[in-house]
Amino acid sequence: MPQDSKAAILGRVRAALRTPTSPQVMPPKAALELAESGPARAEAIRRSLPTGGENYEESKALFAEQSAALKTRFVPVPSLQAAGDELARMAAEHGWSRLGAHAGELVTPLAEKLGLETVMTDGGYDPNELERCEVGLTECDALVAQTGSVLVTTRSAGGRALSVLPPHHVVVARKSQLIGALVDAYELLESRYGDAYPSFMTFITGPSRTGDIERILVLGAHGPKELTVLLIEG
């Protein structure tokens, strides 16, 4: 490595070390020492991380802010009917002809209304057929305001592949599924699946991306290039 490049890198490291850490961020060890276990431990971890909002409106605003930074398209809508209208508009705009979906309280009526050729992932299906779908429509376990993430599992999102193979992933969620912090997400997973965890759980934080080559951001490198979240508020 040329000496000039090495000096430049070390200079940026030194400059970063001089930047004060946010007072909201506490070293993990210090946070864990605040409590031994149980709810107090979770609360200590929660207080050591940036806030996820004190109420729904704050969490919604934070999720919108994080989504913009991550290049996630976040669309709050007043009703399931409005979600269907938005999906129809997107289908026309993008020229979708094939949809991947799973059975669900929200997804089933939306997929039926959309009226596209649909690959359902609840039973056996051909992965090649799913790969030919332009869009995958799923539900989720939660939306996390603190990080702008979507929490999905095999049970909430139609298996492992539906949220990964189609190039555009559309997530539909209810208002009650927007939570503040990652700690809340882990507590939700424990309460919902504590006796039998799904085989797959993940946080989707923006479209798939990489910056490995020349530090140039490329979307869609390892999964969907586009991520849209429809939040039904009514």
PDB file of all heavy atoms in Angstrom, residues 86-105:
ATOM      1  N   GLU A  86     -52.447   0.748  -3.605  1.00  0.00           N
ATOM      2  CA  GLU A  86     -51.028   1.084  -3.790  1.00  0.00           C
ATOM      3  C   GLU A  86     -50.293  -0.050  -4.502  1.00  0.00           C
ATOM      4  O   GLU A  86     -49.457   0.189  -5.390  1.00  0.00           O
ATOM      5  CB  GLU A  86     -50.375   1.364  -2.429  1.00  0.00           C
ATOM      6  CG  GLU A  86     -48.877   1.615  -2.466  1.00  0.00           C
ATOM      7  CD  GLU A  86     -48.467   2.815  -3.326  1.00  0.00           C
ATOM      8  OE1 GLU A  86     -49.320   3.674  -3.599  1.00  0.00           O
ATOM      9  OE2 GLU A  86     -47.281   2.877  -3.717  1.00  0.00           O
ATOM     10  N   LEU A  87     -50.605  -1.289  -4.142  1.00  0.00           N
ATOM     11  CA  LEU A  87     -49.975  -2.427  -4.812  1.00  0.00           C
ATOM     12  C   LEU A  87     -50.346  -2.455  -6.300  1.00  0.00           C
ATOM     13  O   LEU A  87     -49.489  -2.732  -7.154  1.00  0.00           O
ATOM     14  CB  LEU A  87     -50.416  -3.733  -4.148  1.00  0.00           C
ATOM     15  CG  LEU A  87     -49.566  -4.235  -2.980  1.00  0.00           C
ATOM     16  CD1 LEU A  87     -50.205  -5.470  -2.364  1.00  0.00           C
ATOM     17  CD2 LEU A  87     -48.144  -4.553  -3.438  1.00  0.00           C
ATOM     18  N   ALA A  88     -51.616  -2.175  -6.615  1.00  0.00           N
ATOM     19  CA  ALA A  88     -52.049  -2.155  -8.014  1.00  0.00           C
ATOM     20  C   ALA A  88     -51.316  -1.057  -8.784  1.00  0.00           C
ATOM     21  O   ALA A  88     -50.912  -1.254  -9.937  1.00  0.00           O
ATOM     22  CB  ALA A  88     -53.562  -1.941  -8.076  1.00  0.00           C
ATOM     23  N   ARG A  89     -51.128   0.086  -8.134  1.00  0.00           N
ATOM     24  CA  ARG A  89     -50.401   1.180  -8.781  1.00  0.00           C
ATOM     25  C   ARG A  89     -48.949   0.772  -9.042  1.00  0.00           C
ATOM     26  O   ARG A  89     -48.396   1.021 -10.122  1.00  0.00           O
ATOM     27  CB  ARG A  89     -50.444   2.425  -7.884  1.00  0.00           C
ATOM     28  CG  ARG A  89     -49.932   3.687  -8.549  1.00  0.00           C
ATOM     29  CD  ARG A  89     -49.562   4.746  -7.518  1.00  0.00           C
ATOM     30  NE  ARG A  89     -48.465   4.307  -6.659  1.00  0.00           N
ATOM     31  CZ  ARG A  89     -47.200   4.258  -7.037  1.00  0.00           C
ATOM     32  NH1 ARG A  89     -46.866   4.618  -8.270  1.00  0.00           N
ATOM     33  NH2 ARG A  89     -46.264   3.838  -6.213  1.00  0.00           N
ATOM     34  N   MET A  90     -48.338   0.117  -8.056  1.00  0.00           N
ATOM     35  CA  MET A  90     -46.947  -0.320  -8.212  1.00  0.00           C
ATOM     36  C   MET A  90     -46.826  -1.388  -9.304  1.00  0.00           C
ATOM     37  O   MET A  90     -45.863  -1.394 -10.069  1.00  0.00           O
ATOM     38  CB  MET A  90     -46.424  -0.877  -6.875  1.00  0.00           C
ATOM     39  CG  MET A  90     -46.280   0.167  -5.785  1.00  0.00           C
ATOM     40  SD  MET A  90     -45.961  -0.583  -4.156  1.00  0.00           S
ATOM     41  CE  MET A  90     -44.374  -1.364  -4.454  1.00  0.00           C
ATOM     42  N   ALA A  91     -47.796  -2.299  -9.363  1.00  0.00           N
ATOM     43  CA  ALA A  91     -47.769  -3.354 -10.387  1.00  0.00           C
ATOM     44  C   ALA A  91     -47.807  -2.748 -11.787  1.00  0.00           C
ATOM     45  O   ALA A  91     -47.088  -3.191 -12.700  1.00  0.00           O
ATOM     46  CB  ALA A  91     -48.926  -4.312 -10.180  1.00  0.00           C
ATOM     47  N   ALA A  92     -48.657  -1.724 -11.952  1.00  0.00           N
ATOM     48  CA  ALA A  92     -48.746  -1.068 -13.260  1.00  0.00           C
ATOM     49  C   ALA A  92     -47.461  -0.309 -13.574  1.00  0.00           C
ATOM     50  O   ALA A  92     -46.959  -0.345 -14.709  1.00  0.00           O
ATOM     51  CB  ALA A  92     -49.948  -0.121 -13.270  1.00  0.00           C
ATOM     52  N   GLU A  93     -46.919   0.359 -12.558  1.00  0.00           N
ATOM     53  CA  GLU A  93     -45.697   1.154 -12.767  1.00  0.00           C
ATOM     54  C   GLU A  93     -44.504   0.272 -13.143  1.00  0.00           C
ATOM     55  O   GLU A  93     -43.718   0.617 -14.025  1.00  0.00           O
ATOM     56  CB  GLU A  93     -45.374   1.938 -11.499  1.00  0.00           C
ATOM     57  CG  GLU A  93     -44.082   2.738 -11.580  1.00  0.00           C
ATOM     58  CD  GLU A  93     -43.749   3.426 -10.264  1.00  0.00           C
ATOM     59  OE1 GLU A  93     -44.657   3.583  -9.429  1.00  0.00           O
ATOM     60  OE2 GLU A  93     -42.579   3.795 -10.070  1.00  0.00           O
ATOM     61  N   HIS A  94     -44.382  -0.876 -12.471  1.00  0.00           N
ATOM     62  CA  HIS A  94     -43.212  -1.733 -12.682  1.00  0.00           C
ATOM     63  C   HIS A  94     -43.464  -2.826 -13.718  1.00  0.00           C
ATOM     64  O   HIS A  94     -42.539  -3.565 -14.075  1.00  0.00           O
ATOM     65  CB  HIS A  94     -42.794  -2.382 -11.363  1.00  0.00           C
ATOM     66  CG  HIS A  94     -42.298  -1.415 -10.328  1.00  0.00           C
ATOM     67  ND1 HIS A  94     -41.036  -0.842 -10.374  1.00  0.00           N
ATOM     68  CD2 HIS A  94     -42.904  -0.894  -9.230  1.00  0.00           C
ATOM     69  CE1 HIS A  94     -40.877  -0.028  -9.339  1.00  0.00           C
ATOM     70  NE2 HIS A  94     -42.001  -0.039  -8.625  1.00  0.00           N
ATOM     71  N   GLY A  95     -44.709  -2.974 -14.171  1.00  0.00           N
ATOM     72  CA  GLY A  95     -45.003  -4.002 -15.164  1.00  0.00           C
ATOM     73  C   GLY A  95     -44.934  -5.413 -14.624  1.00  0.00           C
ATOM     74  O   GLY A  95     -44.538  -6.347 -15.323  1.00  0.00           O
ATOM     75  N   TRP A  96     -45.338  -5.600 -13.347  1.00  0.00           N
ATOM     76  CA  TRP A  96     -45.302  -6.940 -12.746  1.00  0.00           C
ATOM     77  C   TRP A  96     -46.310  -7.854 -13.445  1.00  0.00           C
ATOM     78  O   TRP A  96     -47.444  -7.446 -13.753  1.00  0.00           O
ATOM     79  CB  TRP A  96     -45.659  -6.876 -11.267  1.00  0.00           C
ATOM     80  CG  TRP A  96     -44.669  -6.136 -10.423  1.00  0.00           C
ATOM     81  CD1 TRP A  96     -43.345  -5.899 -10.695  1.00  0.00           C
ATOM     82  CD2 TRP A  96     -44.930  -5.517  -9.145  1.00  0.00           C
ATOM     83  NE1 TRP A  96     -42.765  -5.178  -9.681  1.00  0.00           N
ATOM     84  CE2 TRP A  96     -43.709  -4.934  -8.712  1.00  0.00           C
ATOM     85  CE3 TRP A  96     -46.046  -5.414  -8.329  1.00  0.00           C
ATOM     86  CZ2 TRP A  96     -43.611  -4.253  -7.498  1.00  0.00           C
ATOM     87  CZ3 TRP A  96     -45.956  -4.748  -7.119  1.00  0.00           C
ATOM     88  CH2 TRP A  96     -44.736  -4.175  -6.712  1.00  0.00           C
ATOM     89  N   SER A  97     -45.917  -9.104 -13.643  1.00  0.00           N
ATOM     90  CA  SER A  97     -46.839 -10.101 -14.186  1.00  0.00           C
ATOM     91  C   SER A  97     -46.931 -11.339 -13.300  1.00  0.00           C
ATOM     92  O   SER A  97     -47.879 -12.107 -13.400  1.00  0.00           O
ATOM     93  CB  SER A  97     -46.404 -10.513 -15.595  1.00  0.00           C
ATOM     94  OG  SER A  97     -45.106 -11.100 -15.566  1.00  0.00           O
ATOM     95  N   ARG A  98     -45.912 -11.559 -12.441  1.00  0.00           N
ATOM     96  CA  ARG A  98     -45.885 -12.747 -11.583  1.00  0.00           C
ATOM     97  C   ARG A  98     -45.569 -12.334 -10.148  1.00  0.00           C
ATOM     98  O   ARG A  98     -44.657 -11.538  -9.895  1.00  0.00           O
ATOM     99  CB  ARG A  98     -44.841 -13.748 -12.073  1.00  0.00           C
ATOM    100  CG  ARG A  98     -45.171 -14.382 -13.417  1.00  0.00           C
ATOM    101  CD  ARG A  98     -43.976 -15.181 -13.938  1.00  0.00           C
ATOM    102  NE  ARG A  98     -43.620 -16.261 -13.023  1.00  0.00           N
ATOM    103  CZ  ARG A  98     -44.145 -17.482 -13.084  1.00  0.00           C
ATOM    104  NH1 ARG A  98     -45.042 -17.772 -14.002  1.00  0.00           N
ATOM    105  NH2 ARG A  98     -43.774 -18.416 -12.251  1.00  0.00           N
ATOM    106  N   LEU A  99     -46.317 -12.934  -9.241  1.00  0.00           N
ATOM    107  CA  LEU A  99     -46.200 -12.592  -7.820  1.00  0.00           C
ATOM    108  C   LEU A  99     -45.877 -13.848  -7.015  1.00  0.00           C
ATOM    109  O   LEU A  99     -46.456 -14.908  -7.245  1.00  0.00           O
ATOM    110  CB  LEU A  99     -47.531 -11.999  -7.330  1.00  0.00           C
ATOM    111  CG  LEU A  99     -47.708 -11.792  -5.822  1.00  0.00           C
ATOM    112  CD1 LEU A  99     -46.879 -10.587  -5.361  1.00  0.00           C
ATOM    113  CD2 LEU A  99     -49.185 -11.584  -5.480  1.00  0.00           C
ATOM    114  N   GLY A 100     -44.958 -13.718  -6.058  1.00  0.00           N
ATOM    115  CA  GLY A 100     -44.738 -14.761  -5.060  1.00  0.00           C
ATOM    116  C   GLY A 100     -45.427 -14.329  -3.778  1.00  0.00           C
ATOM    117  O   GLY A 100     -45.313 -13.167  -3.377  1.00  0.00           O
ATOM    118  N   ALA A 101     -46.143 -15.237  -3.117  1.00  0.00           N
ATOM    119  CA  ALA A 101     -46.903 -14.854  -1.923  1.00  0.00           C
ATOM    120  C   ALA A 101     -47.117 -16.079  -1.045  1.00  0.00           C
ATOM    121  O   ALA A 101     -46.781 -17.210  -1.418  1.00  0.00           O
ATOM    122  CB  ALA A 101     -48.240 -14.243  -2.329  1.00  0.00           C
ATOM    123  N   HIS A 102     -47.658 -15.817   0.144  1.00  0.00           N
ATOM    124  CA  HIS A 102     -48.016 -16.910   1.058  1.00  0.00           C
ATOM    125  C   HIS A 102     -49.388 -16.596   1.638  1.00  0.00           C
ATOM    126  O   HIS A 102     -49.855 -15.443   1.586  1.00  0.00           O
ATOM    127  CB  HIS A 102     -46.980 -17.035   2.179  1.00  0.00           C
ATOM    128  CG  HIS A 102     -46.901 -15.827   3.078  1.00  0.00           C
ATOM    129  ND1 HIS A 102     -47.624 -15.690   4.241  1.00  0.00           N
ATOM    130  CD2 HIS A 102     -46.188 -14.667   2.968  1.00  0.00           C
ATOM    131  CE1 HIS A 102     -47.347 -14.538   4.820  1.00  0.00           C
ATOM    132  NE2 HIS A 102     -46.475 -13.885   4.058  1.00  0.00           N
ATOM    133  N   ALA A 103     -50.022 -17.590   2.201  1.00  0.00           N
ATOM    134  CA  ALA A 103     -51.326 -17.373   2.816  1.00  0.00           C
ATOM    135  C   ALA A 103     -51.157 -16.561   4.093  1.00  0.00           C
ATOM    136  O   ALA A 103     -50.268 -16.828   4.899  1.00  0.00           O
ATOM    137  CB  ALA A 103     -51.993 -18.713   3.121  1.00  0.00           C
ATOM    138  N   GLY A 104     -52.005 -15.563   4.273  1.00  0.00           N
ATOM    139  CA  GLY A 104     -51.919 -14.743   5.461  1.00  0.00           C
ATOM    140  C   GLY A 104     -53.096 -13.791   5.534  1.00  0.00           C
ATOM    141  O   GLY A 104     -53.726 -13.474   4.519  1.00  0.00           O
ATOM    142  N   GLU A 105     -53.369 -13.317   6.736  1.00  0.00           N
ATOM    143  CA  GLU A 105     -54.513 -12.426   6.963  1.00  0.00           C
ATOM    144  C   GLU A 105     -54.456 -11.198   6.056  1.00  0.00           C
ATOM    145  O   GLU A 105     -55.482 -10.741   5.553  1.00  0.00           O
ATOM    146  CB  GLU A 105     -54.521 -11.989   8.425  1.00  0.00           C
ATOM    147  CG  GLU A 105     -55.627 -10.994   8.768  1.00  0.00           C
ATOM    148  CD  GLU A 105     -55.427 -10.389  10.150  1.00  0.00           C
ATOM    149  OE1 GLU A 105     -54.405 -10.686  10.788  1.00  0.00           O
ATOM    150  OE2 GLU A 105     -56.309  -9.608  10.568  1.00  0.00           O
TER     151      GLU A 105
END
